Amino acid sequence: MDRIRLGMVGGGTDAFIGAVHRIASRIDDRFELVAGALSSTPEKARTSGAALGLAEDRSYGTFEEMAEREAGRDDGIEAVSIVTPNHVHAAAARAFLERGIHVICDKPLTATQEDAEALRHAVADSKAVFVLTHNYTGYPLVRQAREMVAQGDLGEIRVVQAEYPQDWMTDAVEAAGVKQAEWRTDPARSGAGGSIGDIGTHAYNLACFVTGLKGAELAADLHSFGTGRKLDDNAHVMLRFDGGARGMLWCSQVAPGCENALRLRVFGTKGGLEWAQENPNELWFTPHGEATRRITRMGAGASDAANAVSRVPPGHPEGYLEGFANIYGGAADAIRAVQSGADRDAALGLLPGIGAGLDGMAFIGACVRSSQDNTAWVTL
Amino acid sequence: MDRIRLGMVGGGTDAFIGAVHRIASRIDDRFELVAGALSSTPEKARTSGAALGLAEDRSYGTFEEMAEREAGRDDGIEAVSIVTPNHVHAAAARAFLERGIHVICDKPLTATQEDAEALRHAVADSKAVFVLTHNYTGYPLVRQAREMVAQGDLGEIRVVQAEYPQDWMTDAVEAAGVKQAEWRTDPARSGAGGSIGDIGTHAYNLACFVTGLKGAELAADLHSFGTGRKLDDNAHVMLRFDGGARGMLWCSQVAPGCENALRLRVFGTKGGLEWAQENPNELWFTPHGEATRRITRMGAGASDAANAVSRVPPGHPEGYLEGFANIYGGAADAIRAVQSGADRDAALGLLPGIGAGLDGMAFIGACVRSSQDNTAWVTL
Amino acid sequence: MDRIRLGMVGGGTDAFIGAVHRIASRIDDRFELVAGALSSTPEKARTSGAALGLAEDRSYGTFEEMAEREAGRDDGIEAVSIVTPNHVHAAAARAFLERGIHVICDKPLTATQEDAEALRHAVADSKAVFVLTHNYTGYPLVRQAREMVAQGDLGEIRVVQAEYPQDWMTDAVEAAGVKQAEWRTDPARSGAGGSIGDIGTHAYNLACFVTGLKGAELAADLHSFGTGRKLDDNAHVMLRFDGGARGMLWCSQVAPGCENALRLRVFGTKGGLEWAQENPNELWFTPHGEATRRITRMGAGASDAANAVSRVPPGHPEGYLEGFANIYGGAADAIRAVQSGADRDAALGLLPGIGAGLDGMAFIGACVRSSQDNTAWVTL
Amino acid sequence: MDRIRLGMVGGGTDAFIGAVHRIASRIDDRFELVAGALSSTPEKARTSGAALGLAEDRSYGTFEEMAEREAGRDDGIEAVSIVTPNHVHAAAARAFLERGIHVICDKPLTATQEDAEALRHAVADSKAVFVLTHNYTGYPLVRQAREMVAQGDLGEIRVVQAEYPQDWMTDAVEAAGVKQAEWRTDPARSGAGGSIGDIGTHAYNLACFVTGLKGAELAADLHSFGTGRKLDDNAHVMLRFDGGARGMLWCSQVAPGCENALRLRVFGTKGGLEWAQENPNELWFTPHGEATRRITRMGAGASDAANAVSRVPPGHPEGYLEGFANIYGGAADAIRAVQSGADRDAALGLLPGIGAGLDGMAFIGACVRSSQDNTAWVTL
């Protein structure tokens, strides 16, 4: 097995998403974690590294040190996962891209538009792959939904309804020691978007990924229900897409009963479809004028696009980690292809990259501006 | 059995909603249909009357004639159901209200704001009951949802998500001889709202009924996807309620796979709930921080408000017609109470009346104005 | 309107099923209740009659009196609904059949095999229609399921899984004054079957109705979990059908969380289907090797057999009462046809009659004998 | 990271379950696959080994060779996964157990009762851990269900309904080159049970695991619908448990529309619960007399037993592979504990071991005997 040597920035012991990235990287056995700068607190970085079995000399105190030292090793990391709060993404990604180390970065792209621009340049100047973990695009039936729209099964798209409600910030958890909530409610670390940046971007990315449409303009109403919360914890957005489709996007962190209820519905002249993240192994498709179909992952109605990223038979559910692993699997393919001389952008295939990241930043920025301008339509 | 003598305006043979009103009026055996002006085409009025078993001399060619003649009979109708296209509601209702005949009228209230105002005066000047069939408020678990919000089970309401998508106008059915579609796409008969008037008002009414909130302002994006269609067949609306809650409303007639997918979700500081018309015998309630409950009609978690309008045990589904019958049952109670000298407004209880009708007209009007003004916020 | 004049035996104020029959008889306006012997307690019979608006002289103290007196009137009842506990069915039905009055009788047919035989003869000797309210066969999508099997959509049937669990007798409700439970746990009034007679017969009838198969033999394990309960409150049954299909049937009254969870699944060489009473407006069909279809009542995949007994558009749920009303509607058609000289048996069409009743009695009897004989296979 | 060195017997390229074991072993990073005898065809064993990155000298032609050679290495495997057809389990497991190498073995235990006995002795004589992958017991909410029953949330258990239908053998796939079907329909490789051995044992194991009950006797009707099929492809079983609970078990491989529809329902005097493998992140619990709860993995109603084997937040689904990984995680804990001197049986905790395997063999044997004896009750 020729595993890709992987490093990680962020993702220390108590971070949720770092563990997710690590499992995702292991599922298909394409990566081996060999280095890390796992925390901005050096002591914690060290203990986290030890807990994960990193060699002591490859558990670094800062990403800068890791980038420099690993770039100098013959057996240095080939790729790095960046799983820090948003404000660190840009600087960390640039440090590795400059050294030709491939980057797998969490979303949203950055905390500020300036950082996003700088990162755009860094990607352009590098030969390394840059993948953004809009992980929901890795679900097999999301891939199939995209393929169905692309091949015209829904006809011309008219209406797109995307939503991503959660309930974990219904109470003031950021004041109760929940670290995940602390940085997400802090503009300095999250950027200008609260829920809209954290989960709204996922919903928007999913809508664009599946429909193949590009947002034209939007009108947004962002709001903070949590007392003293500086960033939005609920967002209502109207969308107009190039070509005339219209849509709505709702995200919330204060909706009791909603866990990670990301859901997409797309309607066209010839049919409609629906997919929900919490039960991702089924895709509902209605050819207009016929009975609705329940398409299951690897089942009779599943397509090649879905089956290519599936592991177990129909009725044996795959979940969040497997969907995430499909991003890692795609990244591994892309990295090996680029190492073998393939064209970088072609190698990315369906993977979300800098383009999806910039679209997400444009979306967040437009939502904030529209909301500040009393829900005026803002061009994307 | 002391049945209320009922007349009907509209509702001839091929009308969907007339048959619904008739069944609803029979389910609890509180009404007896004895007169009708069932069609604007006299011949059709006559044959429809015969088919329904009306005495020949009580099957009228016009509602004016029916109002005058029935008012003059000792055994004349006590109440009338008006189930015509929207533009007839006002004149017909006034003809009966003026004569002290109680009115059960289909929604939306009227086709124009002028008519709505005139009808408002007519109701004010009459002693008769006026009930508007926002029938979804008759569902037992909708009643329970309202009660739960009112008693604080959800805490302070923050977010309200209402939607009512259909798919029956995905194709140009109005050009294919579907009468239901013909008048609904004709501004002269429907008024200024298409989908927003036909089904959007139902969703808005349901949201207000359950939450007890009053809309403060809205911003709307109405659109016609059907070629040449003069009225909207899809509407996206942002809502702000008195007291600070925010919401979204989506209605559509071009969403393949959606039949009558009216759905309401309400989220507050202490909990959330969800109800969907297509499976109305269950209500989902999440007390924040606890597992979600599936409350069933007449089941262990059902409340008095729900049980009072239920007929059969839990697990034996009641449906659309029973929900509709609950409006008729309430109307029968109110009519008998008023006949016995009770205060009219108190007698109406939870029933939607002229107030709900005017709210609906204000909602339609605001949606149209906002949409024409590029989705500006408009006060309700 | 030429309504059929209807009488009722049983169904006084506190009886659940009497009210169901009355509503079902009204929904399509084919019947008018004009006489009754509504309770075995004369005083209660009288007050119930008054509450239902019966003329004083047509509210009888006994069914015998009603049969005799009504048969002698020019405007006497044309049909009677028998909604008493099981042990009264036979005598009551015979009293009316002998006088040529059509009978609509609740299930199971009788309390004893002897009574069933006697009733069989009475039906044979009469020209009147006899309908047994295996009401679940009235659901539109049950009719469609039957049609699909009959036309070969499932291929050769192999496996039939039927179940009807409830939870209302989990505790000793018969000792707590619940009248529904009192007579159902009393062999003298219910017969030899407890849950198997009350709800198991429904499941068995449904299985046979949909598949068109006839039971060949069965092996049963009946049990009473309730302390001191004389009749079974839980039954497990294995089934073998003519032609080789096999199946299982489970019914229970002690399964917490189950309300009226009647469910049927049928599997053949070419496909499978599933229907559940608690959400009766959808039918799941899987053509083997294709994605599962969700067929909805009146929706795109609904058949003529289903649409013929539907009233409102897809997405507006019909329920238990409408399904029950379809039995009444069919009975009205049959009665009018027979009155016009049609062949009685042909006129019954899909309606459950004496044959279904005898099959049910054979089923109950075989279950009891098999269970007493240590679950031996018993021929049906 | 101190990974357990793992070998694998069976699981070559085209085997479904081998890949599952490998992914499951990697998810929590507790194992490293270093050796294998991946196929009974030496050439295939070699190429499979190479594809999986095994060192050439540790890719063996037979399990005997692997056992001997690995036992002689300082860095030899500590544990082995046996993922062959059933008839190989016993001999392979014994070869490793005798050498003190821990065994993780697929189910059912063996193909014959003799083999099962031999294996029982081998386990007794060894100090090594023996784990049987009844993987469904690894699902978090299955663990919670077990805990809830154990702590009395359901009261005294009365009724247990278990089922596991599939549809993949509806057609004669064993004659069409589907290897999974070939050996499963071959008594020499599968043993006396077809569907009952392959999936019925899973359902039975799940029922016993969750309820904590021990089967007392059963009555079975096994059948082969597939032409010429020697082993059952459908089985109906009645169950009686120690203490008086009763149940039913149905498994099938010829039920179109069923993928891996393992489902368990348990009912007691105080409540009922339901869990379905295809959507394993929710558990339905009804305290008798209250509304049904939807408990979600890691959600508000999830217990410590469930959370201990969960990785990602509520609403992010975990699936089949994560449930399987929980067996591997438990095995890793047990192996390390035993290596540190802990008592072997205590170290196994909730893991299915030789006892569960013998129970499964007794279940298969009893089903076959009962079915051959015309569904007579057979003691377990």
Side-chain angles (χ1 to χ4, degrees), chain B residues 203-219:
Chain B
Y204 180 69
N205 173 263
L206 183 69
C208 294
F209 180 82
V210 167
T211 63
L213 295 175
K214 197 175 148 24
E217 54 181 344
L218 63 75

Side-chain angles (χ1 to χ4, degrees), chain B residues 86-87 110-112 183-184 186-194 231 361 364:
Chain B
N86 308 342
H87 67 300
T110 57
T112 67
W183 72 260
R184 277 183 174 81
D186 175 6
R189 286 178 280 177
S190 271
L231 296 174
M361 293 304 292
I364 298 170

Side-chain angles (χ1 to χ4, degrees), chain C residues 123-170:
Chain C
V123 171
D125 293 345
S126 172
K127 289 178 175 158
V129 166
F130 180 82
V131 173
L132 195 74
T133 50
H134 272 307
N135 57 292
Y136 303 110
T137 63
Y139 274 113
L141 293 179
V142 167
R143 299 277 176 100
Q144 174 158 352
R146 184 183 184 283
E147 185 184 44
M148 290 172 72
V149 173
Q151 71 196 19
D153 292 353
L154 275 73
E156 190 182 342
I157 301 305
R158 289 171 160 179
V159 181
V160 181
Q161 301 292 113
E163 61 186 44
Y164 196 156
Q166 300 177 326
D167 63 7
W168 68 293
M169 291 174 64
T170 296

